[in-house]
Amino acid sequence: MIGSLPLDAPELEGALSPALAAIEARLLEVVSNADETINPPTSHLAEAGGKRLRPILTLLTAQLGDPALAAGEQVRDAGVAVELTHIATLYHDDVMDDAPLRRGAPSAQTVWGNSAAILTGDVLVARASQLVAALGPEAVLAHAKTFERLCMGQLHETLPRPAGTDPVAHYIQVLADKTGSLIAVSARYGAMLTGAGRATERIVEAFGERIGVAFQLADDCLDLVGDPAALGKTPGTDLREGVDTMPVLLLRQALAAGELDAAGQAILSRLSTGDLGDDEVLADVVDRLRSHPVLARTQQMAMDWAREAVAVLDGLEEAVVAGARERLEAGCAAAAGAGTGSRAGSEARAGAGSGVEAGAGAGVGTGAGAGVGTGAEAGVGTGVGTGAGASVGIAGASAGAGTGSGVGTGAEAGVGTGAEAGVGTGAGSGAECEAALAETRRRVRLVRVGMEQFARLLVDRAA
């Protein structure tokens, strides 16, 4: 169990659960750091609980990057920021929908009024923005674009659809904006803040957007078939609030195509003429929708979107391994230093056969020909010293040029992460690099299993 999700992954649970607990503590701190007037409304929904899906996903994708950063402060703050942003939208949604309950507790506007609830949501967005500001400009831009999509999705749902627009396609875009965008950036932050690489960021972001759509489609089903105690609201609440969810939109689509059956026409008639404020009328419409094929079609759509989300992970392993190679190469270059700045330059001489000095300036330049390469060997062939872009993995590894001439005692040029390849034909350094990449592959496969379980759990609840 990781947070609210029963993920069957003990190793992931051991890595993620402490960080998620730290995120929860930080979240409750951030929502209650003002005064006795402001704290009650700003902490109201956070204290009411929640699934914390978004920070869980941030922590999960952070496992794809540098292990030393995976549960670090930046990743944890990103998890707090995405959850704060999500909670802020709930305050605004409840005002727009006039919802009496949220997470089993009275909604904020029923306690403090609409104006206070709206302003509370704004305060939480501001606090999320402060957290993101410390993560760097790229993270700030991603958050700003996400918040724009959240608002545009809500506007597209609120304002009339343009004439001739397909209602189902329009609604899917609304879900992608309102729900998918924030889950997508939650996944991206984990990869971004641990240096997992651009390709990895794109893959997990695409996963997040698709699983967000699947999640919302599953919610549309739960609005009809869910347990009221678990939902914290009455079945059919979306219908009562005038929201056309996917089952109803499928009826309207069939009607426009002249393909709607008599049962579907009766449902639409009840929706348009009945008083859905009456519990009996609402219950009747809900019962009719439960027995109509549009419910099963919506469930199938949720599963299809979840399968699409999992399918985009097919390129994940190679993307993560490529990102790991980049980090290894950068670590080698940073550890080796430039020119005479490396320890190899002051303590060792390599390439006796060709007279090339390690780190003394010979063959340094930009480090061409040195580094990790494919992980098997690096810097073989031409005389390259252990200057910028070159490194020797461990003490005693051979360095230099051509035939791999010997290294003097004490020769070593930084390890970086401890698993980089060296220069020349040193077998030990190449083996360590391969071991590091093999561990990366193992970790990716573990995370992928976790992400597949994440996707399945989000849609299975509506089955």
Side-chain angles (χ1 to χ4, degrees), residues 60-405:
L60 192 57
T61 59
Q63 296 295 312
L64 299 171
D66 185 343
L69 303 176
E73 183 178 0
Q74 283 202 327
V75 171
R76 297 196 307 271
D77 278 355
V80 175
V82 294
E83 187 66 15
L84 272 178
T85 303
H86 170 58
I87 292 173
T89 66
L90 300 183
Y91 282 87
H92 294 162
D93 283 350
D94 288 346
V95 170
M96 296 182 70
D97 299 338
D98 196 25
L101 294 174
R102 171 65 70 175
R103 295 177 173 174
S107 57
Q109 85 275 3
T110 64
V111 179
W112 292 282
N114 285 346
S115 295
I118 292 169
L119 290 169
T120 298
D122 294 345
V123 168
L124 295 183
V125 171
R127 291 180 183 174
S129 299
Q130 291 174 50
L131 288 171
V132 173
L135 305 180
E138 187 177 11
V140 171
L141 180 60
H143 186 258
K145 289 183 174 180
T146 298
F147 201 73
E148 179 188 27
R149 288 190 64 190
L150 291 170
C151 296
M152 289 177 63
Q154 187 64 63
L155 279 169
H156 280 134
E157 183 177 65
T158 303
L159 298 174
R161 280 194 314 272
T165 302
D166 177 73
V168 172
H170 180 269
Y171 185 62
I172 290 294
Q173 186 60 55
V174 166
L175 300 187
D177 289 337
K178 275 189 60 176
T179 304
S181 64
L182 186 55
I183 295 179
V185 82
S186 301
R188 184 184 174 196
Y189 276 155
M192 175 195 298
L193 297 171
T194 57
R198 297 290 188 187
T200 301
E201 287 182 41
R202 288 192 293 270
I203 289 171
V204 299
E205 188 175 31
F207 171 87
E209 178 135 344
R210 286 161 176 77
I211 204 60
V213 174
F215 174 73
Q216 194 59 58
L217 289 169
D219 261 10
D220 287 355
C221 298
L222 284 175
D223 188 53
L224 301 176
V225 302
D227 177 12
L231 291 176
K233 61 181 182 179
T234 303
T237 295
D238 289 338
L239 301 176
R240 174 171 279 169
E241 293 168 355
V243 177
D244 277 358
T245 56
M246 185 57 75
V248 175
L249 291 171
L250 290 173
L251 293 177
R252 298 197 188 284
Q253 186 183 56
L255 179 66
E259 300 170 353
L260 186 60
D261 59 13
Q265 293 179 34
I267 293 171
L268 290 180
S269 176
R270 290 285 277 171
L271 283 172
S272 62
T273 62
D275 178 12
L276 297 180
D278 185 303
D279 289 344
E280 290 187 3
V281 174
L282 180 64
D284 175 65
V285 173
V286 169
D287 285 342
R288 290 170 183 261
L289 281 168
R290 283 173 177 169
S291 60
H292 196 277
V294 290
L295 176 60
R297 284 185 61 194
T298 302
Q299 291 169 331
Q300 184 61 51
M301 290 175 73
M303 289 187 284
D304 289 345
W305 276 91
R307 275 193 289 268
E308 285 189 28
V310 169
V312 304
L313 300 178
D314 285 348
L316 183 63
E317 183 172 326
E318 292 311 313
V320 173
V321 169
R325 281 203 181 96
E326 290 179 6
R327 291 197 308 277
L328 293 178
E329 289 174 344
C332 285
T340 58
S342 67
R343 282 183 291 166
S346 62
E347 296 181 19
R349 288 176 179 270
S354 58
V356 179
E357 292 187 349
V364 175
T366 61
V372 176
T374 63
E377 292 182 336
V380 178
T382 58
V384 181
T386 54
S391 68
V392 178
I394 56 174
S398 59
T403 61
S405 52

Side-chain angles (χ1 to χ4, degrees), residues 401-412:
T403 61
S405 52
V407 181
T409 58
E412 55 180 11

Side-chain angles (χ1 to χ4, degrees), residues 430-444:
E432 289 195 17
C433 179
E434 285 302 312
L437 295 178
E439 170 58 20
T440 296
R441 290 186 185 277
R442 188 195 70 83
R443 194 170 66 249
V444 175

